[in-house]
Amino acid sequence: MVATNLAGRILKVNHAGEHGAVSIYSGQIFMARFTAKLLLPELLTFRAHEENHRATFHNELRRRGLKRCKSYWLCAAGGYVLGIGTGLFGANAISLTTVAVERTVLRHLRHQTELLADDADAISAISSILSEEQEHHDAAENHNRTPGVFGQMLSSALAGATESVIWLGMRI
């Protein structure tokens, strides 16, 4: 029962996180039309991936009879604001955002596969998105130039914010 409850909480938070990721990319896509047009095709592809990831977790929650996480709309609103804000600063800030968020998310997803080793369905849902999340990280990292002080501060703040949202989602 404890493992089932943990799996349910993790899947809810992952679903909310994917909703937040869709919102981040939506905000960045809006701003990239003005600040980073060359990134638009990639951002559109990444958002489509995140929409599929969100659907994967939604389907698993529905199969288990679980409601979405209470942080679902918070992730959406925060993600959109983050996307607009980082998109305002252009291609480097957009790429730094993807790297910082995906690095944090990938670490959590890999840890989740260890925690939920006895739940094949949860592992399947999580494992099904890992390669695309890694692809987002790697592609964005290839765009980054030397981040400088602003980039390092942005990256640290984004990683901390992502950790905080995951922590909060697991507790509400």
Side-chain angles (χ1 to χ4, degrees), residues 10-97:
I10 286 172
L11 292 168
K12 285 180 173 190
V13 170
N14 288 357
H15 177 243
E18 296 300 337
H19 191 55
V22 169
S23 296
I24 291 170
Y25 285 123
S26 294
Q28 289 178 335
I29 288 164
F30 177 79
M31 290 308 299
R33 291 183 178 116
F34 309 105
T35 64
K37 289 180 181 176
L38 291 175
L39 287 182
L40 281 171
E42 182 174 86
L43 293 172
L44 290 164
T45 298
F46 290 176
R47 182 177 64 184
H49 291 165
E50 301 297 354
E51 289 169 341
N52 288 334
H53 302 169
R54 180 180 59 192
T56 296
F57 290 119
H58 171 76
N59 292 338
E60 187 57 24
L61 291 176
R62 186 173 30 190
R63 190 186 71 72
R64 293 170 185 250
L66 298 173
K67 295 180 182 179
R68 65 178 166 229
C69 186
K70 293 177 183 174
S71 68
Y72 187 81
W73 293 112
L74 175 65
C75 288
Y80 194 74
V81 169
L82 177 64
I84 292 286
T86 57
L88 184 65
F89 289 102
N92 198 47
I94 290 170
S95 296
L96 283 170
T97 301

Side-chain angles (χ1 to χ4, degrees), residues 95 98-99 103 135-145:
S95 296
T98 299
V99 170
R103 181 178 50 237
E135 177 188 326
H136 300 175
H137 173 277
D138 295 348
E141 194 166 57
N142 287 334
H143 295 306
N144 284 339
R145 51 182 201 260

Side-chain angles (χ1 to χ4, degrees), residues 121-135:
D121 292 324
I123 296 296
S124 177
I126 294 165
S127 296
S128 73
I129 72 166
L130 276 170
S131 65
E132 286 180 341
E133 299 290 8
Q134 186 69 54
E135 177 188 326

